[in-house]
Structure formats: structure tokens, C-alpha cells
Amino acid sequence: MSEPQSPAPGRLVVAAAIVDDLARPTRLLAARRSEPPELAGGWEFPGGKVEPGEQPLEALHRELHEELGIAVEVGAELPGPFDGRWALGPGLTMRLWLAVVTDGVPAPLEDHDELRWLGPGQWASVPWLPADVEVVDALIARSPSA
Ligand code: 9L3
Ligand code: MG
């Protein structure tokens, strides 16, 4: 078996694993995509592309406000296997942080048609987008109470 090829970093996507508690997460928020058609129905960590001139964490706060109507406190980053990033597909890699909601109640305002809080034992229970499955596995591995 050969090692997976490191993807070209390409455009950076940022996303959040929104949990109930940064230190001992037991509940995780999953968002079902409604757009574009080829991704619709797949569940993901909310987030999106960093715009030119934006810092990654600025982009994360912007995306969570636009997509879910919430403000968050950002916690630890969950580093991916490719220089800290997660492979998403051609031309895209992702960074992801844990986060807790500090203001607002998450609502599917943009690009999603359903949100679901997944409790202990349920984190892998929705059909995550292929790129996000690996992240879910890593999150479960670092969160024994989940
Ligand atoms: N993507 C995959 N998993 C995620 C996120 C936030 C994004 N958790 C993929 C889906 C799109 C691309 O990255 O192909 C850009 O995402 P967006 O800007 O459409 O949210
Ligand atoms: Mg998005």
C-alpha cells in the first residue's frame, strides 16, 4: 500500500465542530447540505472558503454567522494529516476547530436544510460527506465521552 498523496493545498476551507463543551464534548452539531445538487443530502461541519485578504478564523466566524446565525467561542484545532489540513478534493483543503455557541440558536439559514445535535454514540449516525467522515472518526477518537 502506498501512502495517500498529499493534496496540493489549494483554496482553504475552514469549518467548525460545534459541540456543547470544549473540554468534554458530548453533543456535536451536524448540518445537512442543500446546495450544490451534487452535495445535497450529505452532512458536514459548517463552514466555507476563506476569502482573499481574510484570516482563517475571521472567515470561520463569518461563515458561522451567515450559515447558522450564531456567534461562537473557538477552541482547539483538530489538525488534519496533510500539514495540519484535511483533504477535501481537487483544489480544496480544510482546517477545522472545535467551537461552542456563545450567542444565537443555530438555524439552517444558508446552504443547509437541516441541523441535528448528535448525542453520545450518535456522532457517526448521519451520512457525512466523504471528506468529513475522516474528521468525525478523529473527533470520536479524541472524545471518549462521545
Ligand atoms: N466542504 C466539505 N466539508 C465541509 C465544508 C465546510 C465544505 N465541512 C466542501 C464542500 C464544497 C467546498 O468544500 O465543495 C466549499 O464549501 P462551501 O464554501 O460551499 O461551504
Ligand atoms: Mg459553507
Side-chain angles (χ1 to χ4, degrees):
M1 288 256 289
S2 57
E3 284 294 305
Q5 260 198 317
S6 184
R11 184 93 185 259
L12 179 62
V13 170
V14 291
I18 298 173
V19 292
D20 55 342
D21 185 317
L22 289 176
R24 281 179 64 85
T26 60
R27 300 207 306 149
L28 169 67
L29 189 71
R32 190 172 69 183
R33 285 196 77 113
S34 51
E35 302 275 335
E38 62 273 21
L39 299 180
W43 294 75
E44 69 168 12
F45 297 96
K49 296 188 189 87
V50 177
E51 297 295 340
E54 221 178 14
Q55 293 301 311
L57 287 175
E58 270 179 67
L60 185 65
H61 287 286
R62 175 184 51 73
E63 288 285 346
L64 296 176
H65 182 257
E66 288 173 2
E67 293 190 347
L68 306 177
I70 56 170
V72 297
E73 177 190 343
V74 175
E77 181 168 6
L78 188 70
F82 302 109
D83 219 8
R85 297 184 178 199
W86 299 89
L88 280 190
L92 287 177
T93 53
M94 179 167 78
R95 292 179 64 185
L96 177 134
W97 289 264
L98 270 72
V100 289
V101 179
T102 55
D103 193 34
V105 176
L109 304 179
E110 190 182 276
D111 291 347
H112 300 113
D113 60 6
E114 190 179 336
L115 303 178
R116 196 178 293 174
W117 282 103
L118 305 173
Q122 299 178 338
W123 288 15
S125 68
V126 295
W128 293 93
L129 293 178
D132 291 49
V133 169
E134 240 190 300
V135 182
V136 174
D137 290 344
L139 266 180
I140 291 172
R142 80 184 281 291
S143 308
S145 45

